[in-house]
Coordinates of all heavy atoms in Angstrom, one line a residue:
M18 N -72.3 -109.3 24.2 CA -71.1 -108.6 23.7 C -69.8 -109.6 23.9 O -69.8 -110.2 25.0 CB -70.8 -107.3 24.3 CG -69.8 -106.5 23.6 SD -69.3 -105.0 24.4 CE -70.8 -104.2 24.8
I19 N -69.0 -109.7 22.9 CA -67.8 -110.6 23.0 C -66.9 -110.0 24.0 O -66.6 -108.8 24.1 CB -67.1 -110.8 21.6 CG1 -68.1 -111.5 20.7 CG2 -65.8 -111.6 21.8 CD1 -67.5 -111.5 19.3
K20 N -66.4 -110.8 24.9 CA -65.4 -110.4 25.9 C -64.3 -111.5 26.1 O -64.6 -112.6 26.4 CB -66.0 -110.1 27.2 CG -65.2 -109.4 28.3 CD -65.9 -109.3 29.6 CE -66.5 -108.0 29.8 NZ -67.0 -107.7 31.2
K21 N -63.1 -111.1 25.8 CA -62.0 -112.2 25.9 C -61.0 -111.7 26.9 O -60.7 -110.5 27.0 CB -61.3 -112.3 24.5 CG -62.2 -113.0 23.5 CD -61.5 -113.4 22.2 CE -62.4 -114.2 21.4 NZ -61.8 -114.6 20.1
E22 N -60.3 -112.7 27.6 CA -59.4 -112.3 28.6 C -58.0 -113.0 28.3 O -58.0 -114.1 27.8 CB -59.9 -112.8 29.9 CG -61.2 -112.1 30.3 CD -61.6 -112.2 31.8 OE1 -60.9 -113.1 32.3 OE2 -62.6 -111.6 32.1
Y23 N -56.9 -112.3 28.6 CA -55.5 -112.7 28.3 C -54.8 -112.4 29.6 O -54.6 -111.1 29.9 CB -54.9 -111.9 27.2 CG -55.7 -112.0 25.9 CD1 -56.8 -111.2 25.7 CD2 -55.5 -113.0 25.0 CE1 -57.6 -111.3 24.5 CE2 -56.2 -113.2 23.8 CZ -57.3 -112.3 23.6 OH -57.9 -112.4 22.4
S24 N -54.2 -113.3 30.3 CA -53.6 -113.0 31.6 C -52.0 -113.5 31.5 O -51.7 -114.4 30.8 CB -54.2 -113.9 32.7 OG -53.6 -113.7 33.9
N25 N -51.3 -112.7 32.2 CA -49.9 -113.1 32.5 C -49.7 -113.7 33.8 O -48.5 -113.8 34.3 CB -48.9 -111.8 32.2 CG -49.1 -110.8 33.3 OD1 -49.9 -110.9 34.2 ND2 -48.4 -109.7 33.2
G26 N -50.7 -113.9 34.6 CA -50.6 -114.5 35.8 C -50.8 -113.6 37.0 O -51.2 -113.9 38.1
E27 N -50.5 -112.3 36.6 CA -50.6 -111.2 37.6 C -51.8 -110.3 37.4 O -52.5 -109.9 38.2 CB -49.2 -110.4 37.5 CG -48.7 -109.9 38.7 CD -47.3 -109.3 38.4 OE1 -47.2 -108.3 37.7 OE2 -46.3 -109.8 39.0
I28 N -51.9 -110.0 36.1 CA -53.1 -109.1 35.7 C -53.8 -109.8 34.5 O -53.1 -110.7 33.8 CB -52.6 -107.7 35.3 CG1 -51.7 -107.7 34.0 CG2 -52.0 -107.0 36.5 CD1 -51.5 -106.3 33.4
T29 N -55.0 -109.4 34.2 CA -55.6 -110.0 33.1 C -56.2 -108.8 32.2 O -56.8 -107.9 32.7 CB -56.9 -110.8 33.5 OG1 -56.3 -111.9 34.3 CG2 -57.7 -111.3 32.4
I30 N -55.8 -108.9 30.9 CA -56.3 -107.8 30.0 C -57.7 -108.3 29.6 O -57.8 -109.5 29.2 CB -55.3 -107.8 28.8 CG1 -54.0 -107.3 29.3 CG2 -55.9 -106.8 27.8 CD1 -52.8 -107.4 28.2
V31 N -58.6 -107.4 29.6 CA -59.9 -107.7 29.0 C -60.1 -107.0 27.6 O -59.9 -105.8 27.5 CB -61.0 -107.3 30.0 CG1 -62.4 -107.6 29.5 CG2 -60.8 -107.9 31.3
W32 N -60.5 -107.8 26.7 CA -60.7 -107.2 25.3 C -62.1 -107.3 24.9 O -62.7 -108.5 24.9 CB -59.8 -108.0 24.4 CG -60.0 -108.0 22.9 CD1 -60.2 -109.1 22.1 CD2 -60.0 -106.9 22.1 NE1 -60.4 -108.7 20.7 CE2 -60.2 -107.4 20.8 CE3 -59.8 -105.5 22.3 CZ2 -60.3 -106.4 19.7 CZ3 -60.0 -104.6 21.2 CH2 -60.1 -105.1 19.9
Q33 N -62.8 -106.2 24.6 CA -64.1 -106.2 24.0 C -64.1 -105.6 22.6 O -64.2 -104.4 22.4 CB -65.0 -105.4 25.0 CG -65.1 -105.9 26.5 CD -66.0 -105.2 27.3 OE1 -67.1 -105.3 27.3 NE2 -65.2 -104.2 28.1
P34 N -64.0 -106.5 21.7 CA -63.9 -106.0 20.2 C -64.9 -105.2 19.7 O -64.7 -104.3 19.0 CB -63.8 -107.4 19.4 CG -64.2 -108.4 20.4 CD -64.1 -107.9 21.8
D35 N -66.1 -105.3 20.3 CA -67.3 -104.5 19.7 C -67.0 -103.0 20.0 O -67.7 -102.1 19.5 CB -68.5 -105.0 20.4 CG -68.9 -106.4 19.8 OD1 -68.4 -106.8 18.8 OD2 -69.7 -107.1 20.5
L36 N -66.1 -102.7 21.1 CA -66.0 -101.3 21.5 C -64.8 -100.6 20.8 O -64.7 -99.4 20.8 CB -65.7 -101.3 23.0 CG -66.8 -101.8 24.0 CD1 -66.4 -101.6 25.4 CD2 -68.1 -100.9 23.7
C37 N -64.0 -101.5 20.1 CA -62.8 -100.9 19.5 C -63.1 -100.0 18.4 O -64.0 -100.2 17.5 CB -62.0 -102.1 19.0 SG -60.4 -101.5 18.1
I38 N -62.5 -98.7 18.4 CA -62.7 -97.8 17.4 C -61.5 -97.8 16.4 O -61.3 -96.7 15.7 CB -63.1 -96.4 17.9 CG1 -62.0 -95.9 18.9 CG2 -64.4 -96.4 18.7 CD1 -62.1 -94.5 19.4
H39 N -60.5 -98.7 16.6 CA -59.4 -98.8 15.7 C -58.5 -97.5 15.7 O -58.0 -97.1 14.7 CB -59.8 -99.2 14.3 CG -60.7 -100.4 14.3 ND1 -60.2 -101.6 14.6 CD2 -62.0 -100.5 14.1 CE1 -61.2 -102.5 14.5 NE2 -62.3 -101.9 14.3
S40 N -58.3 -97.0 16.9 CA -57.4 -95.8 17.0 C -56.0 -96.2 16.8 O -55.2 -95.4 16.6 CB -57.6 -95.2 18.4 OG -57.1 -96.1 19.3
R41 N -55.7 -97.5 17.0 CA -54.3 -98.1 16.9 C -53.5 -97.6 18.1 O -52.2 -97.8 18.0 CB -53.6 -97.7 15.6 CG -54.6 -98.1 14.4 CD -53.8 -98.0 13.1 NE -53.3 -96.6 12.8 CZ -52.6 -96.4 11.8 NH1 -52.4 -97.2 10.8 NH2 -52.2 -95.1 11.6
M42 N -53.9 -97.0 19.1 CA -53.2 -96.5 20.2 C -52.4 -97.5 20.9 O -51.3 -97.4 21.4 CB -53.9 -95.8 21.2 CG -54.6 -94.5 20.7 SD -53.5 -93.1 20.5 CE -53.3 -92.6 22.2
C43 N -53.0 -98.8 20.9 CA -52.3 -99.8 21.7 C -51.1 -100.4 21.0 O -50.2 -100.9 21.7 CB -53.4 -100.9 21.9 SG -54.2 -101.5 20.4
W44 N -51.1 -100.3 19.7 CA -49.9 -101.0 19.1 C -49.1 -100.2 18.1 O -47.9 -100.5 17.9 CB -50.4 -102.2 18.3 CG -51.4 -102.0 17.3 CD1 -52.7 -101.8 17.3 CD2 -51.1 -101.7 15.8 NE1 -53.2 -101.5 16.1 CE2 -52.3 -101.5 15.1 CE3 -49.8 -101.7 15.0 CZ2 -52.4 -101.3 13.7 CZ3 -50.0 -101.5 13.6 CH2 -51.2 -101.3 13.1
H45 N -49.6 -99.1 17.6 CA -49.0 -98.4 16.5 C -48.0 -97.3 17.0 O -48.3 -96.6 17.9 CB -50.1 -97.8 15.6 CG -49.6 -97.3 14.2 ND1 -49.3 -96.0 14.0 CD2 -49.3 -98.0 13.2 CE1 -48.9 -95.8 12.8 NE2 -48.9 -97.0 12.2
G46 N -47.0 -97.1 16.2 CA -46.0 -95.9 16.4 C -45.2 -96.2 17.6 O -45.2 -97.3 18.3
P47 N -44.3 -95.2 17.9 CA -43.4 -95.2 19.0 C -44.1 -95.4 20.4 O -43.5 -95.9 21.4 CB -42.7 -93.9 19.0 CG -43.5 -93.0 18.1 CD -44.3 -93.9 17.2
E48 N -45.3 -95.0 20.5 CA -46.0 -95.2 21.8 C -46.7 -96.5 22.0 O -47.2 -96.9 23.0 CB -47.1 -94.1 21.9 CG -46.6 -92.6 21.8 CD -45.7 -92.2 23.0 OE1 -46.1 -92.5 24.2 OE2 -44.6 -91.6 22.8
G49 N -46.7 -97.2 20.8 CA -47.5 -98.5 20.9 C -46.6 -99.7 21.5 O -45.5 -99.5 21.6
L50 N -47.3 -100.7 21.9 CA -46.7 -101.8 22.5 C -46.9 -103.0 21.7 O -47.8 -103.9 22.0 CB -47.3 -101.9 23.9 CG -46.6 -103.0 24.9 CD1 -45.1 -102.6 25.1 CD2 -47.3 -103.0 26.2
L51 N -46.2 -103.1 20.6 CA -46.5 -104.1 19.6 C -46.1 -105.5 20.1 O -46.6 -106.5 19.6 CB -45.6 -103.8 18.4 CG -46.0 -104.5 17.1 CD1 -47.4 -104.2 16.6 CD2 -45.0 -104.1 15.9
E52 N -45.2 -105.6 21.0 CA -44.8 -106.9 21.5 C -46.1 -107.6 22.3 O -46.1 -108.8 22.3 CB -43.8 -106.8 22.7 CG -42.6 -106.0 22.3 CD -42.7 -104.5 22.8 OE1 -43.3 -103.8 22.0 OE2 -42.3 -104.2 23.9
V53 N -47.0 -106.8 22.8 CA -48.1 -107.3 23.5 C -49.4 -107.2 22.6 O -50.1 -108.2 22.4 CB -48.4 -106.6 24.8 CG1 -49.7 -107.0 25.4 CG2 -47.3 -106.8 25.7
F54 N -49.6 -106.1 21.9 CA -50.8 -106.0 21.1 C -50.3 -105.9 19.6 O -49.9 -104.9 19.1 CB -51.4 -104.5 21.4 CG -51.8 -104.4 22.9 CD1 -51.0 -103.7 23.8 CD2 -53.0 -105.1 23.3 CE1 -51.4 -103.7 25.1 CE2 -53.3 -105.1 24.7 CZ -52.5 -104.3 25.6
N55 N -50.5 -107.0 18.9 CA -50.1 -107.1 17.5 C -51.2 -107.7 16.7 O -51.4 -108.9 16.7 CB -48.8 -108.0 17.5 CG -48.3 -108.0 16.0 OD1 -49.0 -107.7 15.1 ND2 -47.0 -108.2 15.9
P56 N -52.0 -106.8 16.0 CA -53.2 -107.3 15.3 C -52.8 -108.3 14.1 O -53.7 -108.8 13.5 CB -53.8 -106.0 14.8 CG -52.7 -105.0 14.8 CD -51.7 -105.4 15.9
F57 N -51.5 -108.3 13.8 CA -51.2 -109.2 12.7 C -50.7 -110.6 13.1 O -50.4 -111.4 12.3 CB -49.9 -108.6 11.9 CG -50.2 -107.2 11.6 CD1 -49.6 -106.1 12.2 CD2 -51.2 -106.8 10.6 CE1 -49.9 -104.8 11.9 CE2 -51.3 -105.5 10.2 CZ -50.7 -104.5 10.8
E58 N -50.8 -110.9 14.4 CA -50.6 -112.2 14.9 C -51.8 -112.8 15.7 O -52.7 -112.1 16.0 CB -49.4 -112.1 15.8 CG -48.0 -111.8 15.1 CD -46.9 -111.7 16.1 OE1 -47.0 -112.0 17.3 OE2 -45.8 -111.5 15.4
K59 N -51.7 -114.1 15.9 CA -52.7 -114.7 16.7 C -52.0 -115.5 17.9 O -51.1 -116.3 17.6 CB -53.5 -115.7 15.9 CG -54.5 -115.0 15.0 CD -55.6 -116.0 14.5 CE -56.7 -115.2 13.9 NZ -57.9 -116.0 13.7
P60 N -52.5 -115.4 19.2 CA -53.5 -114.4 19.5 C -53.0 -113.0 19.3 O -51.7 -112.9 19.5 CB -53.7 -114.8 21.0 CG -52.5 -115.4 21.5 CD -51.9 -116.1 20.2
W61 N -53.8 -112.1 19.3 CA -53.3 -110.7 19.0 C -52.8 -110.1 20.3 O -52.1 -109.1 20.2 CB -54.3 -109.9 18.2 CG -55.3 -109.0 19.1 CD1 -56.4 -109.5 19.5 CD2 -55.2 -107.6 19.4 NE1 -57.1 -108.5 20.3 CE2 -56.4 -107.4 20.1 CE3 -54.3 -106.7 19.1 CZ2 -56.6 -106.0 20.6 CZ3 -54.6 -105.4 19.7 CH2 -55.7 -105.1 20.4
I62 N -53.1 -110.6 21.4 CA -52.7 -110.0 22.7 C -51.8 -111.1 23.4 O -52.3 -112.2 23.6 CB -53.9 -109.6 23.6 CG1 -54.7 -108.5 23.0 CG2 -53.4 -109.2 25.0 CD1 -55.9 -108.1 23.8
K63 N -50.6 -110.7 23.7 CA -49.6 -111.6 24.3 C -49.2 -110.9 25.6 O -48.0 -110.3 25.6 CB -48.5 -111.9 23.4 CG -48.9 -112.7 22.2 CD -47.7 -113.1 21.4 CE -48.2 -113.6 20.0 NZ -48.6 -112.6 19.1
P64 N -49.8 -111.1 26.7 CA -49.5 -110.3 27.9 C -48.1 -110.8 28.5 O -47.6 -110.1 29.4 CB -50.7 -110.7 28.9 CG -51.3 -111.9 28.4 CD -51.0 -111.9 26.9
E65 N -47.7 -111.9 28.2 CA -46.3 -112.4 28.7 C -45.1 -111.6 28.2 O -44.0 -111.7 28.7 CB -46.2 -113.9 28.4 CG -46.1 -114.3 27.1 CD -47.3 -114.5 26.3 OE1 -48.4 -114.0 26.7 OE2 -47.3 -115.0 25.1
N66 N -45.3 -110.7 27.2 CA -44.3 -110.0 26.5 C -43.9 -108.7 27.1 O -43.1 -107.9 26.5 CB -44.5 -109.9 25.0 CG -44.4 -111.2 24.3 OD1 -44.0 -112.2 24.9 ND2 -44.9 -111.2 23.1
A67 N -44.5 -108.3 28.2 CA -44.2 -107.1 28.8 C -44.5 -107.1 30.3 O -45.3 -107.9 30.7 CB -44.9 -105.8 28.2
S68 N -44.1 -106.2 31.1 CA -44.4 -106.1 32.5 C -45.8 -105.8 32.7 O -46.4 -105.0 31.9 CB -43.5 -105.1 33.2 OG -43.7 -103.8 32.9
S69 N -46.3 -106.1 33.9 CA -47.7 -105.8 34.1 C -47.9 -104.2 34.2 O -48.9 -103.6 33.7 CB -48.2 -106.3 35.5 OG -48.1 -107.7 35.4
E70 N -46.8 -103.6 34.7 CA -46.9 -102.1 34.9 C -46.9 -101.4 33.4 O -47.8 -100.5 33.1 CB -45.6 -101.6 35.6 CG -45.7 -100.2 36.0 CD -44.6 -99.9 37.0 OE1 -44.2 -100.7 37.8 OE2 -44.1 -98.7 36.8
R71 N -46.2 -102.0 32.5 CA -46.1 -101.4 31.2 C -47.5 -101.7 30.5 O -48.0 -100.8 29.7 CB -45.0 -102.0 30.5 CG -44.7 -101.6 29.0 CD -44.3 -100.1 29.0 NE -44.2 -99.6 27.6 CZ -45.2 -99.1 26.9 NH1 -46.5 -99.0 27.5 NH2 -45.1 -98.7 25.7
I72 N -48.0 -102.9 30.7 CA -49.3 -103.2 30.1 C -50.4 -102.2 30.6 O -51.2 -101.7 29.9 CB -49.7 -104.7 30.3 CG1 -48.7 -105.6 29.5 CG2 -51.1 -105.0 30.0 CD1 -48.9 -107.0 29.9
M73 N -50.4 -102.0 32.0 CA -51.5 -101.2 32.5 C -51.4 -99.8 31.9 O -52.4 -99.2 31.7 CB -51.4 -101.1 34.0 CG -51.7 -102.5 34.7 SD -51.8 -102.4 36.5 CE -50.0 -102.7 36.9
Q74 N -50.1 -99.3 31.8 CA -49.9 -98.0 31.1 C -50.5 -97.9 29.7 O -51.2 -96.9 29.3 CB -48.4 -97.7 31.2 CG -48.0 -96.4 30.6 CD -46.5 -96.3 30.4 OE1 -45.8 -97.4 30.5 NE2 -46.0 -95.2 30.0
Q75 N -50.3 -98.9 29.0 CA -50.7 -99.0 27.6 C -52.3 -99.1 27.6 O -52.9 -98.5 26.7 CB -50.1 -100.1 26.8 CG -50.1 -100.0 25.3 CD -49.3 -98.9 24.9 OE1 -48.2 -98.5 25.5 NE2 -49.6 -98.3 23.7
V76 N -52.8 -99.9 28.4 CA -54.3 -100.1 28.4 C -55.0 -98.8 28.7 O -56.0 -98.4 28.2 CB -54.7 -101.2 29.4 CG1 -56.2 -101.2 29.7 CG2 -54.3 -102.5 28.8
S77 N -54.3 -98.0 29.6 CA -54.9 -96.7 29.9 C -55.0 -95.7 28.8 O -55.7 -94.7 28.8 CB -54.1 -96.1 31.1 OG -53.0 -95.5 30.7
L78 N -54.3 -96.0 27.7 CA -54.3 -95.1 26.5 C -55.4 -95.4 25.6 O -55.7 -94.7 24.7 CB -53.0 -95.2 25.7 CG -51.7 -94.7 26.5 CD1 -50.5 -95.0 25.6 CD2 -51.8 -93.3 26.9
C79 N -56.1 -96.6 25.8 CA -57.2 -97.0 24.8 C -58.4 -96.1 25.0 O -58.9 -95.9 26.1 CB -57.6 -98.4 25.1 SG -59.0 -99.0 24.1
P80 N -58.7 -95.3 24.0 CA -59.6 -94.3 24.0 C -61.1 -94.7 24.1 O -62.1 -94.1 24.4 CB -59.4 -93.4 22.8 CG -59.0 -94.5 21.8 CD -58.0 -95.5 22.6
S81 N -61.4 -96.2 23.8 CA -62.7 -96.5 23.7 C -63.2 -97.4 24.8 O -64.4 -97.7 25.0 CB -62.8 -97.4 22.4 OG -62.1 -98.6 22.5
G82 N -62.3 -97.9 25.7 CA -62.6 -98.9 26.7 C -62.6 -100.3 26.1 O -63.0 -101.2 26.9
A83 N -62.3 -100.5 24.9 CA -62.1 -101.9 24.3 C -61.2 -102.7 25.2 O -61.2 -103.9 25.3 CB -61.8 -101.8 22.8
L84 N -60.1 -102.0 25.5 CA -59.1 -102.7 26.5 C -59.3 -102.2 27.9 O -59.5 -101.0 28.2 CB -57.7 -102.3 26.0 CG -57.2 -102.9 24.7 CD1 -55.9 -102.3 24.3 CD2 -57.1 -104.4 24.7
S85 N -59.3 -103.1 28.8 CA -59.3 -102.8 30.2 C -58.5 -104.0 30.9 O -58.0 -104.9 30.2 CB -60.7 -102.7 30.8 OG -61.4 -103.9 30.6
F86 N -58.3 -103.9 32.2 CA -57.6 -105.0 32.9 C -58.1 -105.1 34.4 O -58.7 -104.1 34.8 CB -56.1 -104.8 32.8 CG -55.6 -103.6 33.7 CD1 -55.3 -103.8 35.1 CD2 -55.6 -102.3 33.3 CE1 -54.9 -102.8 35.9 CE2 -55.2 -101.3 34.2 CZ -54.9 -101.5 35.4
Y87 N -57.8 -106.2 34.9 CA -57.9 -106.3 36.4 C -56.8 -107.0 36.9 O -56.0 -107.8 36.2 CB -59.2 -106.9 36.7 CG -59.4 -108.4 36.2 CD1 -58.9 -109.5 36.9 CD2 -60.2 -108.6 35.1 CE1 -59.1 -110.8 36.5 CE2 -60.5 -109.9 34.6 CZ -59.9 -111.0 35.4 OH -60.1 -112.2 34.9
V88 N -56.5 -106.7 38.1 CA -55.4 -107.4 38.9 C -56.0 -108.8 39.3 O -57.0 -108.9 40.0 CB -54.9 -106.6 40.1 CG1 -53.7 -107.3 40.8 CG2 -54.3 -105.3 39.5
N89 N -55.3 -109.9 39.0 CA -55.9 -111.1 39.3 C -56.3 -111.5 40.8 O -57.3 -112.1 41.0 CB -54.9 -112.2 38.9 CG -54.8 -112.3 37.4 OD1 -55.3 -111.4 36.7 ND2 -54.0 -113.3 36.8
D90 N -55.5 -110.9 41.7 CA -55.9 -111.1 43.1 C -57.1 -110.4 43.5 O -57.6 -110.6 44.6 CB -54.8 -110.6 43.9 CG -53.6 -111.6 44.0 OD1 -53.9 -112.7 43.4 OD2 -52.5 -111.3 44.4
N91 N -57.5 -109.4 42.8 CA -58.6 -108.6 43.2 C -59.6 -108.1 42.1 O -59.7 -106.9 41.8 CB -57.9 -107.3 43.8 CG -58.7 -106.5 44.8 OD1 -59.9 -106.9 45.0 ND2 -58.1 -105.5 45.4
K92 N -60.2 -109.1 41.5 CA -61.0 -108.8 40.3 C -62.1 -107.8 40.5 O -62.3 -107.0 39.7 CB -61.5 -110.2 39.8 CG -62.4 -110.1 38.6 CD -62.7 -111.3 37.9 CE -63.4 -111.1 36.6 NZ -63.7 -112.3 35.9
E93 N -62.7 -107.9 41.6 CA -63.9 -107.0 41.8 C -63.4 -105.5 42.0 O -64.0 -104.6 41.3 CB -64.7 -107.4 43.0 CG -65.3 -108.8 43.0 CD -66.1 -109.0 41.7 OE1 -66.9 -108.1 41.4 OE2 -65.9 -110.1 41.1
K94 N -62.4 -105.3 42.8 CA -62.0 -104.0 43.1 C -61.3 -103.2 42.0 O -61.3 -102.0 41.9 CB -61.2 -103.9 44.4 CG -62.1 -104.0 45.7 CD -61.2 -103.6 46.8 CE -62.0 -103.8 48.1 NZ -61.1 -103.9 49.3
E95 N -60.5 -104.1 41.3 CA -59.4 -103.3 40.4 C -59.7 -103.3 39.0 O -58.8 -102.9 38.3 CB -58.1 -104.1 40.7 CG -57.5 -104.1 42.1 CD -57.1 -102.8 42.5 OE1 -56.7 -102.0 41.7 OE2 -57.1 -102.4 43.7
L96 N -61.0 -103.5 38.6 CA -61.2 -103.4 37.2 C -61.0 -101.9 36.7 O -61.6 -101.0 37.3 CB -62.7 -103.9 36.9 CG -63.1 -103.8 35.4 CD1 -62.3 -104.8 34.7 CD2 -64.5 -104.0 35.3
K97 N -60.1 -101.8 35.8 CA -59.9 -100.5 35.2 C -60.2 -100.3 33.8 O -60.0 -101.3 33.1 CB -58.4 -100.2 35.4 CG -57.8 -100.5 36.8 CD -57.6 -99.1 37.4 CE -56.8 -99.3 38.8 NZ -57.2 -98.6 39.8
T98 N -60.9 -99.3 33.4 CA -61.1 -99.0 32.0 C -60.3 -97.8 31.7 O -59.6 -97.3 32.6 CB -62.6 -98.9 31.7 OG1 -63.1 -98.0 32.6 CG2 -63.4 -100.3 31.9
S99 N -60.5 -97.3 30.5 CA -59.8 -96.1 30.2 C -60.3 -94.9 31.0 O -61.5 -94.6 30.9 CB -60.0 -95.7 28.7 OG -59.4 -94.5 28.4
E100 N -59.5 -94.3 31.9 CA -59.9 -93.2 32.7 C -59.4 -91.9 32.0 O -60.0 -90.8 32.3 CB -59.3 -93.4 34.0 CG -59.9 -94.5 34.8 CD -59.1 -95.0 36.0 OE1 -58.0 -94.4 36.2 OE2 -59.6 -95.8 36.7
K101 N -58.5 -92.0 31.1 CA -58.0 -90.9 30.5 C -58.9 -90.3 29.5 O -59.1 -89.0 29.3 CB -56.6 -91.2 29.8 CG -55.7 -90.1 29.7 CD -54.4 -90.6 29.2 CE -53.4 -89.5 28.9 NZ -52.2 -89.9 28.5
F102 N -59.6 -91.1 28.8 CA -60.5 -90.8 27.8 C -61.9 -91.3 28.1 O -62.2 -92.3 27.4 CB -60.0 -91.1 26.3 CG -58.7 -90.7 26.0 CD1 -57.6 -91.5 26.3 CD2 -58.5 -89.4 25.5 CE1 -56.3 -91.1 25.9 CE2 -57.2 -89.1 25.2 CZ -56.1 -89.8 25.4
P103 N -62.7 -90.8 29.0 CA -63.9 -91.5 29.3 C -65.0 -91.5 28.2 O -64.8 -90.7 27.3 CB -64.5 -90.7 30.5 CG -63.7 -89.4 30.5 CD -62.5 -89.6 29.7
Ligands
LIG1 S1 -56.3 -98.6 21.6 FE1 -58.3 -99.4 22.0 S2 -59.6 -98.5 20.4 FE2 -57.5 -98.3 19.7 S3 -57.1 -100.1 18.5 FE3 -56.4 -100.6 20.5 S4 -58.2 -101.6 21.4 FE4 -59.0 -100.5 19.7

């Protein structure tokens, strides 16, 4: 399975495109974070464009687990996937 990583130095966003169900929760509408998740640009994830806290909040909205993240200092312990929509 393809797995790509995008880091802002503090946290790393993990993207697994095969899991994406195209809900658009990450980028679309008022709740979206288009500065970071923009499917019309390359790379489509730009973690330097928002705070780590804001990114973590947005990743938690991903219903499929296609987006997850880990804190760079603590890769093993801190891997988070969508807990809101298991
Ligand atoms: S929120 Fe998750 S499932 Fe929805 S488009 Fe973004 S990555 Fe895909």
Side-chain angles (χ1 to χ4, degrees):
M18 195 185 309
I19 297 169
K20 191 184 258 195
K21 293 190 172 179
E22 299 195 348
Y23 304 83
S24 181
N25 67 359
E27 215 171 66
I28 62 165
T29 297
I30 300 168
V31 182
W32 161 238
Q33 297 181 84
D35 295 337
L36 298 179
C37 180
I38 57 171
H39 308 289
S40 69
R41 310 189 299 177
M42 297 286 283
C43 49
W44 62 271
H45 192 257
E48 304 292 316
L50 188 59
L51 196 60
E52 311 92 274
V53 174
F54 302 102
N55 189 332
F57 307 107
E58 293 182 358
K59 282 199 169 191
W61 90 276
I62 297 179
K63 298 186 189 72
E65 66 276 16
N66 287 352
S68 69
S69 297
E70 196 172 320
R71 183 67 185 86
I72 290 171
M73 290 188 274
Q74 181 191 5
Q75 199 68 26
V76 166
S77 75
L78 298 178
C79 175
S81 67
L84 291 174
S85 58
F86 72 90
Y87 60 84
V88 177
N89 289 6
D90 284 349
N91 206 351
K92 182 169 182 173
E93 298 306 318
K94 276 190 184 164
E95 296 292 332
L96 183 64
K97 309 256 191 218
T98 53
S99 173
E100 288 160 0
K101 205 169 173 183
F102 305 95

